[in-house]
């Protein structure tokens, strides 16, 4: 489907500002790679994938190439996660209960500590293993120090001098309890405040083997704390370089796997076709008569990209593969999609409720907020498998009617009649259907608001909320801000690829990139490689079904084309007035 992108264009757009800072960034990311790989893998994994569209013949790759590509993906995903997720932290690995890994780990650890206990119980005691453990503790403590901690470094090096400790052990003068006391004190100095309690408990352990075992357990937690501290330290630097870094890494992946933009190409092409069809329908005059070519809509790459991002909020994650360039944010887009679905149901319920109730009831802020919270709580588990929307909406209908009746009674208004209650419950239950008119209106208005916000350049104040969405304005604006941040960052990284795809793949009726042709004069088409030009005519009063005309260029060309020169097979189907609207 797609040819390789013009690398010179992409590389020029993604050239790094500073090679030295980029290398430092890569070192920092790769240093945390091993500890974070599992967390990133679970957070960025995609659901079931379908067969990839074929764009180039398959080629064999070596294991080394696959490993190198996987490593590049992991590093890029790690850097992306640190930048996008401000709350990202490493957590200690907890193996599942009764799992094979956990049982093996417990058996091996028990054997090790039993062996140490036996050695220390000998007469005279054997300190070989104990001294090795002290050496590991020393290295761990030194790794926690910053360059300016000269005094602490000298203390650790002096007290935990392994050569001296070996001599003391050989002469029977080694006081292992004194070493443990110094280690615990140093751990208390270097640990985070959250670990003070764990370190304090170490002082109550009198037996050497259990004490060493707990020391290593607390040191593991301190390592996690230090890794999180390192992440928070490099985050500002990473945010400055992340766009160039991610683009560079993706370009490396693209060079190894040329088909890494197939799903992106498909995603953008579908968005451009859908948007053109949608705008064409809106541009048709009443009665479907031919309009002047000057009335035809014109698309821009920004509009197509914004529309493509909106399509991600209606994505079928189980059946369709996610575009490659947004794959690292799939879980975040999916979460926004679930929030919008819940917001649509919530908005629809409130809309029908306030429409049926007395005119002044919706203006009472306390009641509107209380009713919204009740419905939100009942919809909390909306996306769990055990959740049944119809049953919950029945409960919501009962609860809403009680609250409305109570409010009307307190206000001294006319009581809520039984007929109105029956109608309101029925309308609320009807929201369970995706084809419900009220639900579809709410969904359309929400997407329109998000599209307007993206087109506004994320400037403040936010666009005016469409009618009927005022009760959920705060929640909608929160989602819009999250969505815009994801979109904006993704554009900064991958916009050169998107522009190249749209520029090379779609030349749509001379209007796609803002051409001002208004008559049957030819429009220019330049290609530097073999390509196929697809001209898609939507269903219209002239043609009974959508039709695609394909013009093939088997070699580079630089010529003027005109829709008057379409193939003979189109004659009798399209008339001149129909063609003129697309020129």
């Amino acid at each position: 489907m797609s040819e390789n992108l013009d690398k010179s264009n992409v590389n020029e757009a993604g050239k790094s500002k500073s090679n030295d800072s980029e290398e430092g960034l890569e070192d920092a990311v790769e240093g945390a790679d091993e500890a974070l790989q599992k967390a990133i893998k679970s957070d960025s994994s995609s659901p079931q994938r379908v067969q990839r569209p074929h764009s180039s013949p398959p080629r064999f790759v070596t294991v080394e190439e696959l490993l190198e590509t996987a490593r590049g993906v992991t590093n890029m995903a790690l850097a992306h996660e640190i930048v996008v997720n401000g709350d990202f932290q490493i957590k200690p690995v907890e193996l599942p209960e009764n799992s094979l890994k956990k049982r093996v780990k417990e058996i091996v650890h028990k054997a090790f500590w039993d062996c140490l206990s036996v050695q220390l119980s000998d007469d005279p005691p054997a300190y070989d293993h104990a001294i090795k453990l002290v050496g590991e503790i020393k290295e761990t403590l030194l790794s926690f120090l910053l360059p300016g901690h000269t005094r602490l470094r000298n203390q650790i090096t002096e007290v935990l001098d392994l050569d001296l400790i070996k001599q003391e052990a050989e002469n029977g003068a080694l006081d292992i309890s004194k070493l443990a006391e110094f280690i615990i004190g140093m751990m208390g100095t270097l640990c985070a405040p959250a670990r003070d309690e764990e370190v304090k408990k170490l002082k109550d352990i009198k037996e050497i083997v259990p004490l060493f075992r707990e020391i290593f357990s607390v040191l593991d937690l301190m390592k996690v704390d230090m890794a999180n501290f390192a992440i928070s330290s490099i985050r500002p630097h990473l945010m400055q370089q992340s766009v160039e870094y991610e683009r560079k890494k993706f370009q490396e992946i693209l060079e190894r796997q040329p088909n890494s933009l197939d799903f992106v190409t498909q995603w953008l092409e579908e968005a451009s076709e859908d948007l053109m069809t949608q705008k064409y329908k809106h541009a048709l005059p009443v009665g479907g008569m031919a309009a002047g070519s000057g009335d035809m809509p014109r698309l821009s790459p920004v509009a197509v990209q914004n529309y493509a991002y909106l399509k991600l909020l209606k994505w079928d994650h189980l059946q369709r593969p996610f575009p490659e360039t947004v794959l690292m944010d799939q879980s975040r887009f999916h979460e926004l999609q679930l929030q919008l679905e819940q917001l649509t149901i919530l908005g629809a319920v409130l809309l029908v409720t306030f429409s049926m109730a007395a005119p002044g009831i919706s203006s009472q802020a306390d009641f509107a907020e209380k009713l919204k919270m009740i419905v939100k709580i009942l919809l909390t588990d909306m996306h769990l498998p055990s959740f049944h929307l119809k049953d919950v909406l029945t409960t919501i209908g009962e609860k809403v009617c009680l609250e409305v009746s109570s409010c009307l009674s307190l206000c001294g208004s006319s009581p809520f009649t039984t007929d109105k209650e029956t109608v309101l419950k029925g309308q609320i239950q009807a929201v369970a259907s995706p084809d419900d008119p009220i639900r579809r209106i709410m969904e359309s208005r929400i997407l329109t608001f998000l599209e307007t916000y993206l087109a506004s350049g994320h400037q403040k104040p936010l666009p005016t909320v469409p009618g009927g969405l005022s009760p959920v304005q705060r929640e909608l604006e929160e989602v819009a801000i999250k969505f815009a941040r994801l979109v904006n960052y993704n554009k900064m990284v991958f916009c050169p690829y998107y522009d190249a795809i749209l520029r090379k793949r779609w030349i749509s009726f001379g209007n796609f990139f803002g051409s001002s042709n208004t008559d049957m004069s030819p429009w220019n088409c330049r290609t530097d490689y073999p390509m196929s030009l697809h001209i898609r005519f939507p269903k219209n009063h002239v043609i009974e079904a959508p039709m695609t005309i394909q013009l093939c260029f088997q070699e580079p060309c630089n010529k003027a084309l005109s829709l008057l020169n379409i193939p003979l097979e189109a004659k009798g189907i399209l008339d001149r007035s129909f063609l003129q609207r697309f020129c």
Side-chain angles (χ1 to χ4, degrees), residues 461-520:
L462 274 69
T464 304
V465 175
L469 293 175
S470 298
V472 294
Q473 177 176 351
R474 185 179 70 253
E475 292 81 0
L476 180 58
E477 289 179 349
E478 290 175 356
V479 172
I481 292 173
K482 293 179 183 178
F483 178 61
R485 285 175 180 170
L486 279 180
V487 169
N488 188 43
Y489 184 80
N490 186 267
K491 279 185 177 181
M492 288 192 296
V493 177
F494 297 107
C495 191
Y497 298 96
Y498 300 155
D499 289 342
I501 289 172
L502 292 175
R503 183 169 56 250
K504 292 185 178 182
R505 288 292 169 184
W506 284 98
I507 305 172
S508 182
F509 314 121
N511 290 311
F512 191 82
F513 291 107
S515 172
S516 59
N517 294 338
T518 57
D519 53 24
M520 292 300 294

Side-chain angles (χ1 to χ4, degrees), residues 431-490:
V431 174
S433 171
D435 296 326
D436 177 65
I438 303 297
R439 179 171 172 178
R440 294 180 66 180
I441 289 173
M442 297 302 293
E443 179 182 287
S444 175
R445 291 179 180 178
I446 287 174
L447 293 178
T448 299
F449 175 78
L450 294 177
E451 184 177 14
T452 304
Y453 184 47
L454 289 181
S456 68
H458 321 148
Q459 297 177 354
K460 292 184 178 181
L462 274 69
T464 304
V465 175
L469 293 175
S470 298
V472 294
Q473 177 176 351
R474 185 179 70 253
E475 292 81 0
L476 180 58
E477 289 179 349
E478 290 175 356
V479 172
I481 292 173
K482 293 179 183 178
F483 178 61
R485 285 175 180 170
L486 279 180
V487 169
N488 188 43
Y489 184 80
N490 186 267

